[in-house]
Amino acid sequence: MKALTILGSTGSIGVNTLDIIGQYPDRFKVIALTAHHNIELLFKQCIHYKPAYAVVSTEKLADNLQQRLRERSLNTEVLFGAKALADVASLSEVDTVMAAIVGAAGLLPTLAAIKAKKQILLANKEALVMAGPLFIEEAKRAQVTLLPIDSEHNAIFQCLYGRFEPGIPPKEVSKIILTASGGALRNKPLAQLKDTTPLEACQHPNWVMGQKINIDSATLMNKGFEVIEAHFLFGLSPDQIDVVLHPQSIIHSLVEYRDGSMLAQLSSPDMRIPISYALAWPERLENSATHLDLLKVAQLDFKPIEEARYPCLGLAMQALKIGGTATTILNAANEIMVQAFLEGKIRFTEIASLNQQVLEKIHSCPVVSVEAIVEDDSFARAVALEMVEKAQKNVLTAMEFSASAAKLRTEREHSRKF
Ligand code: NAD
Ligand code: MG
């Protein structure tokens, strides 16, 4: 029986993870669940999975949830704040931690889980982008098993016969190829990109995901972060990591071996497949994802990436080449810019141009400690916020914005198929 903490249980990855766990009550036990503010969904998850602990971000939300759970005679202890996240990630009764918080907030609890020698199911790519060298060093020192959840990295992991050592180049591999769908705006004329609304940018053609990763997919910053993630996870140099556009999202990535053989992993675009592989590794579990029908797929296309459409991919590659905390700075800037775009404060195309300005303005430092990373992260956020303030021109009218935001919320609720 595997005992789990799920960091970010109310998100898209968290909900899909619980979906699989719910089908195998004899294999998995939930010890702790965590959420930022969504206590409605967390309450339902607690009733269903009866964890020993639940964590939220504020004391007020914790009191509210605690009271409601007591009324239902549930013993779940509700905690709050960053320290509580790290605590439930390192409980002695937990052996596996699903790291599915979005953004920089996921770094410290994931590092705590590594230090406590838990098996790590890693969805939170921003943790590796922010702190790659340190993250991998800690994982090696603690000798933990890192199992990638991101569909591309999970695909590569499967094409490596389910084996790799964090940060060590896999034997006989000449390169890996990450596939990219191109996101919601892949067919929009370049000249019209600047008028994109948040709702439009979140309409991913193939996957159902959280808002931030949807925007990152539309800018292709997501793919840039995935190149960085692959570089640190698999120890490959940037020129051994290619990106190709594959609009169908059927091949999730490929490994090319030195003899010219290429192995690919194919499936329907459903995160329950990589999640169930990581949960049961090295076994495989049946799950409720649809199996592929190759005759219906009929065609697989591959195209080069259009650089002018996706400047964020180039920025991520630039930050990786600069090294040190440049990727920390880019990640922090990008979180601020994505939020500002979702709030209607900047244009879609300004996500890239303002990210670039932050990256150029701040010097990268060597990654020496978590404290140094957190400091550069905070500094970059402050610089980024200043730039948003300067750039802010109320891109959307108040009415356009509230209509778009309301629709976004509804879509998010629908995607939470608890
Ligand atoms: P999401 O927005 O749907 O969910 C995020 C989760 O993190 C929620 O439970 C939220 O409550 C929690 N959270 C957010 N901010 C927090 C904070 N400050 N403190 C504590 N908790 C916080 O995101 P998602 O789509 O599930 O993505 C989660 C991670 O997985 C991201 O890093 C994303 O890049 C990665 N990922 C997601 C997918 C996908 O299909 N959704 C695929 C590959 C990788
Ligand atoms: Mg991915």
Side-chain angles (χ1 to χ4, degrees):
M1 171 84 80
K2 242 183 203 182
L4 285 114
T5 284
I6 302 173
L7 300 169
S9 66
T10 55
S12 159
I13 295 288
V15 168
N16 278 317
T17 305
L18 286 174
D19 180 71
I20 296 158
I21 286 176
Q23 289 173 45
Y24 294 95
D26 50 333
R27 291 185 72 128
F28 303 111
K29 190 165 87 178
V30 177
I31 306 292
L33 295 176
T34 85
H36 194 21
H37 293 136
N38 188 351
I39 59 167
E40 294 309 318
L41 182 54
L42 188 57
F43 172 72
K44 288 186 200 158
Q45 293 180 337
C46 286
I47 299 287
H48 198 283
Y49 294 95
K50 302 184 175 45
Y53 303 93
V55 182
V56 290
S57 285
T58 68
E59 187 171 9
K60 202 171 160 199
L61 289 172
D63 289 347
N64 181 330
L65 181 62
Q66 186 71 78
Q67 193 182 335
R68 289 171 65 184
L69 291 173
R70 280 212 192 101
E71 282 163 11
R72 298 288 289 262
S73 307
L74 226 78
N75 290 330
T76 303
E77 187 179 342
V78 184
L79 310 166
F80 69 94
K83 182 173 177 302
L85 286 177
D87 288 347
V88 298
S90 35
L91 290 166
S92 59
E93 62 267 44
V94 165
D95 43 60
T96 300
V97 172
M98 165 58 85
I101 290 178
V102 62
L107 176 65
L108 296 180
T110 309
L111 282 178
I114 292 176
K115 283 188 181 146
K117 299 186 187 297
K118 308 302 179 194
Q119 185 180 64
I120 310 290
L121 313 189
L122 185 68
N124 177 218
K125 68 190 79 180
E126 293 91 347
L128 266 183
V129 173
M130 280 179 83
L134 196 112
F135 189 108
I136 295 298
E137 199 182 293
E138 293 286 354
K140 281 184 185 163
R141 186 177 308 146
Q143 297 187 317
V144 295
T145 310
L146 270 183
L147 302 170
I149 295 294
D150 216 342
S151 58
E152 295 76 3
H153 307 72
N154 189 278
I156 289 164
F157 177 50
Q158 295 195 40
C159 297
L160 295 172
Y161 310 98
R163 285 190 305 270
F164 80 100
E165 283 190 51
I168 311 283
K171 271 191 196 148
E172 301 173 340
V173 167
S174 52
K175 68 176 179 181
I176 60 177
I177 298 134
L178 305 182
T179 52
S181 70
L185 308 171
R186 59 191 184 189
N187 296 323
K188 187 163 175 151
L190 277 184
Q192 290 169 22
L193 281 181
K194 64 176 184 3
D195 301 320
T196 301
T197 65
L199 183 63
E200 203 186 345
C202 279
Q203 308 292 317
H204 198 284
N206 304 333
W207 297 94
V208 179
M209 308 185 286
Q211 276 180 15
K212 173 171 186 277
I213 187 169
N214 268 329
I215 303 297
D216 285 346
S217 298
T219 61
L220 233 61
M221 183 63 95
N222 182 52
K223 208 53 53 183
F225 285 171
E226 289 179 356
V227 171
I228 299 172
E229 185 184 4
H231 163 73
F232 288 123
L233 270 182
F234 303 117
L236 296 166
S237 63
D239 58 9
Q240 287 177 291
I241 307 170
D242 287 351
V243 177
V244 298
L245 202 85
H246 167 46
Q248 292 91 353
S249 297
I250 296 293
I251 293 187
H252 298 297
S253 278
L254 308 94
V255 173
E256 184 196 82
Y257 285 89
R258 66 181 180 198
D259 64 356
S261 294
M262 266 189 185
L263 302 193
Q265 186 259 345
L266 288 75
S267 73
S268 55
D270 187 323
M271 285 308 291
R272 286 173 295 188
I273 295 171
I275 293 170
S276 69
Y277 183 64
L279 275 171
W281 174 85
E283 288 175 58
R284 289 180 188 269
L285 290 178
E286 272 181 33
N287 56 50
S288 32
T290 312
H291 288 205
L292 268 188
D293 177 341
L294 285 179
L295 294 179
K296 274 194 189 145
V297 172
Q299 192 176 334
L300 297 173
D301 295 310
F302 305 98
K303 296 177 194 167
I305 302 290
E306 240 182 295
E307 284 177 24
R309 181 178 293 278
Y310 300 113
C312 281
L313 176 62
L315 279 181
M317 301 305 293
Q318 190 187 330
L320 180 57
K321 280 193 188 122
I322 298 170
T325 55
T327 56
T328 318
I329 293 162
L330 182 62
N331 179 65
N334 186 58
E335 283 189 28
I336 299 292
M337 298 316 163
V338 169
Q339 192 55 38
F341 169 67
L342 284 170
E343 289 169 5
K345 292 179 180 167
I346 61 170
R347 291 190 181 281
F348 178 77
T349 40
E350 284 174 315
I351 298 176
S353 57
L354 296 175
N355 274 337
Q356 180 170 5
Q357 287 180 38
V358 180
L359 189 62
E360 282 168 1
K361 198 164 176 171
I362 307 177
H363 281 296
S364 146
C365 301
V367 175
V368 286
S369 64
V370 186
E371 291 73 25
I373 287 168
V374 172
E375 200 174 299
D376 271 20
D377 174 80
S378 308
F379 183 54
R381 276 167 205 271
V383 172
L385 279 171
E386 246 173 55
M387 286 185 180
V388 167
E389 217 162 277
K390 275 189 208 149
Q392 187 171 342
K393 343 176 171 61
N394 291 324
V395 170
L396 300 177
T397 65
M399 249 168 67
E400 273 171 346
F401 175 65
S402 57
S404 182
K407 263 194 155 171
L408 268 175
R409 270 199 300 278
T410 330
E411 303 238 323
R412 261 158 68 87
E413 295 315 320
H414 288 162
S415 71
R416 304 277 180 267
K417 25 182 185 27
F418 176 72

